[in-house]
Amino acid sequence: MTGYADPRRIEAMIEGLDRFTATPGRGTTRLTYSAEYRAAADFVAGWMRDAGLTVRQDAVGTIIGRIEGRNPDLAPILVGSHLDSVPNGGRFDGPAGVVAGIETAFLFRDLGLVPDRPVEVVAMIEEEGTRFGGGLFGSRLLTGAIGPEALEDLRDGQGVSAAEAMRAYGLDPARAGEAARAPGSVHAFLELHIEQGPVLEAEGRDIAIVETIVGLAQLRVTVRGQAAHAGTTPMDQRRDALVGAVGILAQLPDLARQVGRGAVLTVGRMEVLPGGANVIPDLVTFTIDLRAPAEADVLRLIEMVEGTVAHAQGNGLSCTIERQLYAPPTPLSDQIQTALLAQAEGLGLSHRVMVSGAGHDAMILAGLAPTGLIFVPSRGGVSHAPEEWTDYAQLARGTDLIFATIRQMSGAVPG
Ligand code: HGY
Ligand code: MN
Ligand code: MN
């Protein structure tokens, strides 16, 4: 089956983007507002212009390419994903969705299609939260879920605030609110993403149409003790923050197992200070990422985790926990799922409906406009690692579905 999208052009965009990493040879590491991010954003803007899009950067650094509609005042359809990455991640997580949007624009141009309502391709910042924690940051700014006031408090691992990083990037954090879209100002949002799991490959299917995205929370635990000499401090006189943190952490996986029903919990990052081999640690922070399909289970797991941290308080240790992100389970638009299913049938794509265990910008945009999310297969189900891979022919088939659905939803006809 030959579709519309050009796998070679898609490959050129993905492989071109993959040069912009802080860890060449060790996966994609592209932190928001970094030099690599600037280069990637400029690269995406160039391809958008080649595809005939009118390109702008919004007040928080999201790159937006617009196909004007015959009725320019109609609310646009947005299509895209994020441009930032996890540390040492893969080249497809985020860029696959941005590139699918740009390829859709190329197809509009190549086929001489003019939409009735405008279409905007978006490449968003800080979905992963690798730099400033939490995540879904660019989409939450776009929907107005958070505003400029959040920028001063959020800090990266070097203590640089999001506001300072924005200024260094050439943006004015005081104007971040200008990136927010008013309710009713977006007609729909569509996102293509890699599955990041094994299901499509195992079932030999081309596409998943996502019906719900699991609820998720990102928490940050801080344990404070007292720095002291490793050699002269008796074992019964220590206030060892790392021993305290490990004692908390060791209890956490069982909490997710107790909740069950697909609940998962991950501690992905830990900082131990001051970090001397011969110094008893006095400050330990670690992240907790927890998810479940049912909101009651997410909330119950948060409570159990917070109780575990509170119980660790004492014996000379102070233990605190803060919520960096909370997103409830998000059902996606039935109307858009129906449109995607019809187009997938028309394109002869093998497909299934799926619940997403990964979080996506789509779960935030769903609060602003009817939203659809589709997956293409991930080889071995691997993601958030340099080995992440999706064949370009598979990515082209997913792009065909995005293109065909946007062509229909936007009322596009030959110009
Ligand atoms: O964490 C997630 O699910 C996504 O990759 N940000
Ligand atoms: Mn992603
Ligand atoms: Mn990711």
Side-chain angles (χ1 to χ4, degrees), residues 93 127-128 196 384:
D93 178 357
E127 187 273 347
E128 300 289 5
Q196 300 181 294
H384 283 188

CSV table of all heavy atoms in Angstrom, one decimal, residues 93 127-128 196 384, ligand 3:
chain,number,residue,atom,x,y,z
A,93,ASP,N,10.7,10.3,20.2
A,93,ASP,CA,9.8,10.7,21.3
A,93,ASP,C,9.6,12.2,21.3
A,93,ASP,O,10.5,12.9,21.7
A,93,ASP,CB,10.3,10.2,22.7
A,93,ASP,CG,9.4,10.7,23.8
A,93,ASP,OD1,8.4,11.4,23.6
A,93,ASP,OD2,9.7,10.3,25.0
A,127,GLU,N,7.9,19.1,27.5
A,127,GLU,CA,6.9,18.1,27.8
A,127,GLU,C,7.4,17.1,28.9
A,127,GLU,O,6.7,16.7,29.8
A,127,GLU,CB,6.5,17.4,26.5
A,127,GLU,CG,5.3,16.4,26.7
A,127,GLU,CD,5.8,15.0,27.1
A,127,GLU,OE1,7.0,14.7,27.1
A,127,GLU,OE2,4.9,14.2,27.5
A,128,GLU,N,8.7,16.8,28.7
A,128,GLU,CA,9.3,15.7,29.6
A,128,GLU,C,9.5,16.2,31.0
A,128,GLU,O,9.6,15.4,32.0
A,128,GLU,CB,10.6,15.2,29.0
A,128,GLU,CG,10.5,14.6,27.6
A,128,GLU,CD,9.8,13.3,27.6
A,128,GLU,OE1,9.3,12.8,28.6
A,128,GLU,OE2,9.7,12.7,26.5
A,196,GLN,N,5.8,3.6,22.5
A,196,GLN,CA,6.7,3.5,23.7
A,196,GLN,C,6.4,2.2,24.5
A,196,GLN,O,6.8,2.1,25.6
A,196,GLN,CB,6.6,4.7,24.6
A,196,GLN,CG,7.0,6.0,23.9
A,196,GLN,CD,6.9,7.2,24.8
A,196,GLN,OE1,5.8,7.6,25.2
A,196,GLN,NE2,8.0,7.9,25.0
A,384,HIS,N,12.5,6.1,25.6
A,384,HIS,CA,13.3,6.8,26.7
A,384,HIS,C,14.7,6.1,26.8
A,384,HIS,O,15.2,6.0,27.9
A,384,HIS,CB,12.5,6.7,28.1
A,384,HIS,CG,11.4,7.8,28.1
A,384,HIS,ND1,10.7,8.1,29.2
A,384,HIS,CD2,10.9,8.6,27.1
A,384,HIS,CE1,9.8,9.0,29.0
A,384,HIS,NE2,9.9,9.3,27.7
B,3,MN,MN,8.8,10.8,26.7
